C-alpha cells in the first residue's frame, strides 16, 4: 500500500469521516439505496417510510429533515435514500463549504420542486449564510440585497419548494430558529452487534469476500456501534485473510487481523487508549476540561467531542461532569491499570 501524507484538513476529515479520499469511492458502493435494504435504526426507518409514502400520496415535497448523531451512523446515506425513494435529485453541500450567502443562493436557485438539498455538518454553517436559509426554508424565497447604505434595496426571489436535509453531530450547537424550521428531527444511535453483523455480511457479499457468522460477529463486536467503522474493519480483515489465510474470514482471522490493527476486543483503538490514558496519567483520572485534553493530545477538541468521546460515553468508559471528563472504573479495568496503587502520575 502506498503511504500518503495528509494535510491538516484532510486529517481532520479522515478523523471525522473515517474514510481517506481514496477509500471513499468503495465505501459509496456499500451504501444501501432503499429503505428496505437499510439495516438497523428501525424506528427512524419506519417513520421515514410513513413520511415519504404520505408525501408521495399527496404529491408534495417532504418536510425539512434534520439528522443528528455521531459520525458514520448513516445520516448521509439516509439523505441519498430519501432522494431515491422520492424520485428526486439531491444536491449536496456542507456547512463549512457555504462561506457566503451567494454560495447558498447559487445552489438554491437551481433547485426544482421536490429536490433534496443536503447540508452535512450543518452546525458549521456561518451565521450570515444561516440567515439566508430561514426564508428559504420557511417561505421558499431568498432576499437579494442590492447596493449598500441608503441605496440598499432588496428583491425577493421565489424558489421552488425543496426539501432541506441537514446532518449534524452537534444538534446542540444549532441555533433554535434553525432547529425549529425542521419539520422532522431524527436522532441516530449506535447500532447493536446483531445489526452490524448483518451489515458486515451484506458488505462482504458486495466486495466479494467469504465470511462466516462468527467472523462477522467478531468484526461487529469491535466496530464501535458504527457501520462505517464496520465496513472499514471488514476491508482490513479482507486484506489479512487474502494474504495470511485462505481468503475466508473466520473468527480467528478477524481476531488476528484486528489485533494487528491495534483494535481491541471492545473496539477501542490507539487513539481511544491514548485518550483514556492521558486522563488517567496526566490528570489523575479527571475531571479534566476538553481544552486541556485537546492541548495534551494535540487533537482538535471538535474531533475529541464528535468522534472519540461519543462511543466512550456510550460504553461507560468516561463520564462528563460539570468539571470535565472523568474515566470510570470500567476503563481502569479494561486497560488493566490498578487505580489503588499509589500515585498514578508515576506510571
Ligand atoms: N452499509 C452501511 N450502513 C448500512 C446500513 N445501515 N444498512 C445496510 N448497509 C449499510
Amino acid at each position: 500500500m502506498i503511504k500518503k501524507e495528509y494535510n491538516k484538513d484532510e486529517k481532520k476529515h479522515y478523523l471525522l469521516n473515517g474514510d481517506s479520499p481514496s477509500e471513499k469511492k468503495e465505501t459509496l458502493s456499500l451504501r444501501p439505496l432503499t429503505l428496505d435494504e437499510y439495516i438497523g435504526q428501525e424506528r427512524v426507518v419506519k417513520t421515514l417510510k410513513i413520511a415519504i409514502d404520505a408525501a408521495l400520496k399527496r404529491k408534495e415535497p417532504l418536510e425539512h429533515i434534520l439528522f443528528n448523531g455521531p459520525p458514520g451512523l448513516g445520516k448521509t446515506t439516509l439523505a441519498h435514500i430519501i432522494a431515491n425513494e422520492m424520485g428526486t435529485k439531491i444536491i449536496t453541500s456542507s456547512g463549512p463549504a457555504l462561506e457566503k450567502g451567494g454560495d447558498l443562493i447559487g445552489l438554491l436557485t437551481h433547485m426544482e420542486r421536490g429536490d433534496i438539498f443536503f447540508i452535512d455538518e450543518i452546525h458549521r454553517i456561518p451565521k450570515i449564510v444561516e440567515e439566508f436559509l430561514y426564508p428559504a426554508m420557511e417561505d421558499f424565497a431568498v432576499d437579494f440585497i442590492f447596493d449598500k447604505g441608503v441605496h440598499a434595496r432588496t428583491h425577493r426571489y421565489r424558489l421552488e419548494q425543496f426539501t432541506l436535509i441537514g446532518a449534524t453531530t452537534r444538534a446542540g450547537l444549532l441555533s433554535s430558529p434553525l432547529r425549529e424550521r425542521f419539520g422532522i428531527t431524527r436522532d441516530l444511535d449506535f447500532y447493536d452487534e446483531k445489526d452490524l453483523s448483518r451489515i458486515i455480511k451484506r458488505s462482504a457479499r458486495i466486495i466479494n469476500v467469504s465470511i462466516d457468522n462468527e467472523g462477522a460477529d467478531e468484526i461487529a463486536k469491535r466496530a464501535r456501534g458504527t457501520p462505517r467503522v464496520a465496513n472499514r474493519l471488514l476491508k482490513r480483515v479482507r486484506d489479512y485473510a487474502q494474504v495470511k489465510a485462505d481468503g475466508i474470514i473466520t473468527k480467528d482471522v478477524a481476531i488476528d487481523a484486528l489485533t494487528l490493527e491495534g483494535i481491541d476486543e471492545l473496539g477501542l483503538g490507539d487513539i481511544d487508549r491514548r485518550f483514556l490514558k492521558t486522563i488517567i496519567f496526566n490528570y489523575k483520572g479527571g475531571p479534566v476540561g476538553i481544552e486541556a485534553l485537546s492541548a495534551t493530545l494535540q487533537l482538535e477538541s471538535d474531533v475529541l467531542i464528535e468522534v472519540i468521546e461519543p462511543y466512550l460515553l456510550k460504553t461507560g468508559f468516561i463520564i462528563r461532569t460539570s468539571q470535565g471528563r472523568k474515566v470510570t472504573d470500567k476503563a481502569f479495568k479494561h486497560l488493566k491499570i490498578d487505580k489503588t496503587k499509589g500515585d498514578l502520575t508515576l506510571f
Side-chain angles (χ1 to χ4, degrees), residues 202-222:
R202 175 184 177 273
S203 299
R205 268 197 308 279
I206 296 171
I207 63 170
N208 217 0
V209 58
S210 304
I211 188 165
D212 66 15
N213 285 331
E214 291 72 32
D217 291 348
E218 192 58 41
I219 299 174
K221 241 172 67 184
R222 299 174 187 232

Side-chain angles (χ1 to χ4, degrees), residues 30 32 37-39 191 199 202 227 231:
L30 298 179
E37 276 180 89
Y38 197 94
I39 297 164
Y191 292 61
I199 290 172
R202 175 184 177 273
N231 285 334

Side-chain angles (χ1 to χ4, degrees), residues 60-95:
E60 276 176 13
L62 267 180
E63 281 186 84
H64 304 308
I65 303 173
L66 179 67
F67 290 125
N68 173 45
L73 298 189
K75 300 183 290 294
T76 306
T77 302
L78 283 171
H80 281 87
I81 288 177
I82 291 169
N84 188 33
E85 300 265 2
M86 291 295 294
T88 57
K89 275 206 310 297
I90 178 163
I91 291 131
T92 65
S93 189
S94 76

